[in-house]
Amino acid sequence: MARVLLNQHRKKRLEVGHPWIFQSEVLEIQGDVEPGEIVEVTNHKGYFLAKGYINPASQMIVRILSYDQKEEIDYDFFLRKIKQAAEFRTRFVDNPRACRVIYGEADFLPGLIVDRYEDTLVVQVLSLGMEKRIDWIRDALVEVFAPTGIYLRNDVHVRELEGLTQGKEVLYGECPREVLIEENGLKYYVDIVEGQKTGFFYDQRENRASIAPLMKGWGEKHGITLTSMEVEGETKQVPVDKRGKVVKNPFWDGAEVLECFTHTGSFTLNACKHGAKKVTALDISDHAIETAKRNITLNGFLHRVDFVVANAFDYLRENVEAGKSWDVVILDPPAFAKSRGAVKGACRGYKDINLNGMKLVRSGGFLVTASCSYHMSPELFLQTIQEAAVDAKKILRLIEWRGAGKDHPQISGADEAHYLKFAIFEVRDRR
């Protein structure tokens, strides 16, 4: 087996669990190597550290598969790792039939993503080493999950960095274009062929559920109080408005919510489930709004949701100028910084939406905000929000700080996996 010797003065990233070896860390390669084959990785003295597959054409020259020199990288290896990944989800995910079942490096299968949508698996192969072993991967997935179909969503640019082409195709069985799933007790239609990524964003599952405490307790702020009244011969507590008129809306105590970048309507659905009185769901995409509308109708919440097709930056700014306000504003934008060089512009974007977002929150209400840009560090994200709060003359109280869900575990020492930042702030006026 060929060996890759590492530089003596490199950072000891591999020893703390980082699964990638970069070209700049390599001292020399001993032996002839075939792209995609398994190599041993050693320190500069030849002491074994790990083994993985090599791609000399990639800046990420080796991805680590095992730290056991005797472990064979064969079909049984993939079967074992996939079984372990499935067992992990069964333990930690409420509905393991709708989650990310393999998360690449974090499941010790670098370059492989698998999302489960009931009886359909959607796979992304992001590296040459995994591409060469796709038959083993397919057979192991069939043995562990017994799916009716496996669909390849290899339509991602990162494959080109590995010398691979992009494409989409059925890998096994029969794959319906649309699958019905359940998450947090809510149902969603998922388009596995044209939906973003593999069709759905599972990483926000727990974050979506965490907004539940924000959705009730707003009746008094809306001018509604409980008054004792005689109803059908019994004295009951009845909600009445400022004029003393009985409020018949069963969600009178619920929040008025604005969700920007709604995509599939996921935060809107969780808001409605937990008692929101009214939600405005906004996205720039007509297709996204139609998808959200289908999901919200499916769950029986259509009468509580208004839909807006608009640019979120413009909409937020216009509503600030119009003096509008909501109890809860939710901002879950796509990644603004897809490279290190884009961070400065991304900061401006995050500051803009959060500044106007918190201006639209009634004093004592909540701003729910997220960033899925890896290059936007947690510290920089919080700093950007704080700068927005200063300019908006708001005082923020951090209530919740979270990352990706349990089906997206993180390897210590591999900061690249720490991409998702999610926060809930109480917003107060600074007078």
Side-chain angles (χ1 to χ4, degrees):
M1 186 180 293
R3 295 200 304 174
V4 174
L5 277 67
L6 302 183
N7 289 319
Q8 179 179 0
H9 300 297
R10 66 188 168 84
K11 289 184 179 179
K12 299 298 189 288
R13 298 180 317 110
L14 177 60
E15 287 82 346
V16 296
H18 202 294
W20 299 341
I21 305 296
F22 290 95
Q23 295 270 6
S24 59
E25 298 176 282
V26 175
L27 175 65
E28 67 172 303
I29 298 174
Q30 296 180 345
D32 296 328
V33 294
E34 177 76 19
E37 77 174 352
I38 304 300
V39 296
E40 290 189 350
V41 178
T42 74
N43 67 7
H44 65 287
K45 294 182 178 180
Y47 177 80
F48 176 85
L49 297 173
K51 63 169 65 174
Y53 54 77
I54 190 169
N55 185 357
S58 172
Q59 283 300 311
M60 199 183 297
I61 188 170
V62 180
R63 302 194 195 213
I64 302 305
L65 289 170
S66 176
Y67 299 93
D68 182 350
Q69 192 170 14
K70 296 179 180 178
E71 187 170 28
E72 293 293 328
I73 310 301
D74 52 15
Y75 173 75
D76 287 339
F77 169 87
F78 283 92
L79 182 61
R80 186 164 58 251
K81 294 296 182 186
I82 290 171
K83 280 182 177 178
Q84 291 169 356
E87 290 165 359
F88 178 89
R89 273 67 183 182
T90 300
R91 180 183 294 272
F92 288 107
V93 179
D94 287 343
N95 180 13
R97 292 180 60 80
C99 70
R100 176 153 291 181
V101 290
I102 297 175
Y103 184 37
E105 285 73 359
D107 284 302
F108 311 102
L109 291 169
L112 180 66
I113 300 294
V114 183
D115 284 342
R116 185 175 187 181
Y117 301 108
E118 293 295 331
D119 292 322
T120 302
L121 302 178
V122 180
V123 175
Q124 281 189 338
V125 179
L126 307 176
S127 61
L128 176 64
M130 287 297 172
E131 182 96 344
K132 288 206 162 191
R133 294 161 180 84
I134 191 63
D135 290 346
W136 286 348
I137 293 166
R138 177 200 61 213
D139 293 347
L141 289 172
V142 170
E143 185 166 341
V144 173
F145 296 107
T148 56
I150 302 175
Y151 193 74
L152 277 179
R153 280 294 301 266
N154 286 338
D155 54 333
V156 283
H157 172 70
V158 70
R159 281 175 57 86
E160 296 179 7
L161 303 178
E162 290 275 312
L164 301 171
T165 58
Q166 296 189 43
K168 296 185 282 189
E169 62 179 308
V170 174
L171 179 64
Y172 167 83
E174 296 183 359
C175 299
R177 172 163 178 166
E178 194 170 78
V179 182
L180 186 64
I181 65 165
E182 184 172 314
E183 180 195 86
N184 294 339
L186 297 161
K187 297 184 185 302
Y188 296 84
Y189 293 112
V190 176
D191 183 344
I192 68 168
V193 178
E194 296 297 337
Q196 292 188 33
K197 301 294 184 180
T198 67
F200 191 76
F201 293 101
Y202 281 132
D203 54 1
Q204 292 268 37
R205 174 191 293 100
E206 288 90 337
N207 299 340
R208 291 189 268 261
S210 74
I211 68 172
L214 315 183
M215 293 302 122
K216 290 184 178 179
W218 299 97
E220 190 173 341
K221 285 182 177 288
H222 297 161
I224 299 171
T225 56
L226 287 172
T227 301
S228 295
M229 278 191 180
E230 192 83 11
V231 180
E232 297 178 351
E234 293 184 37
T235 301
K236 294 184 178 181
Q237 293 290 100
V238 177
V240 297
D241 61 19
K242 293 177 180 178
R243 296 170 297 175
K245 187 176 180 180
V246 174
V247 176
K248 296 183 179 179
N249 186 340
F251 302 101
W252 61 271
D253 197 38
E256 294 174 354
V257 180
L258 169 64
E259 186 203 358
C260 295
F261 312 98
T262 192
H263 189 224
T264 57
S266 55
F267 276 101
T268 289
L269 280 167
N270 280 267
C272 290
K273 176 186 176 183
H274 295 292
K277 181 167 71 174
K278 197 72 177 179
V279 183
T280 301
L282 177 146
D283 203 285
I284 197 170
S285 163
D286 287 288
H287 181 264
I289 288 296
E290 286 306 312
T291 301
K293 191 175 292 186
R294 286 186 70 206
N295 287 331
I296 288 158
T297 302
L298 177 67
N299 288 274
F301 301 138
L302 188 61
H303 60 294
R304 283 194 275 155
V305 181
D306 293 328
F307 299 92
V308 177
V309 178
N311 179 298
F313 290 87
D314 296 338
Y315 184 87
L316 291 169
R317 198 174 299 112
E318 289 164 3
N319 279 273
V320 168
E321 293 172 359
K324 296 283 186 66
S325 62
W326 285 266
D327 301 313
V328 180
V329 173
I330 301 171
L331 305 172
D332 182 24
F336 289 166
K338 295 187 177 180
S339 67
R340 199 175 303 276
V343 169
K344 190 172 181 180
C347 286
R348 290 194 296 270
Y350 284 117
K351 182 176 180 181
D352 191 343
I353 63 168
N354 281 282
L355 186 150
N356 287 306
M358 64 182 73
K359 281 184 176 181
L360 292 172
V361 177
R362 293 169 183 143
S363 187
F366 298 92
L367 174 71
V368 179
T369 184
S371 166
C372 59
S373 301
Y374 158 67
H375 295 286
M376 188 84 173
S377 70
E379 296 77 16
L380 183 57
F381 184 55
L382 287 171
Q383 177 187 327
T384 301
I385 293 171
Q386 183 55 49
E387 290 173 359
V390 171
D391 290 354
K393 296 182 171 55
K394 301 290 184 180
I395 295 174
L396 302 181
R397 184 158 62 155
L398 182 61
I399 307 299
E400 190 104 31
W401 176 256
R402 310 172 67 95
K406 293 183 178 67
D407 56 347
H408 290 65
Q410 299 173 356
I411 295 293
S412 62
D415 292 340
E416 288 82 357
H418 302 194
Y419 69 99
L420 182 61
K421 284 78 60 178
F422 175 87
I424 299 176
F425 293 96
E426 182 191 62
V427 181
R428 292 176 179 262
D429 291 335
R430 176 164 55 84
R431 301 189 188 280

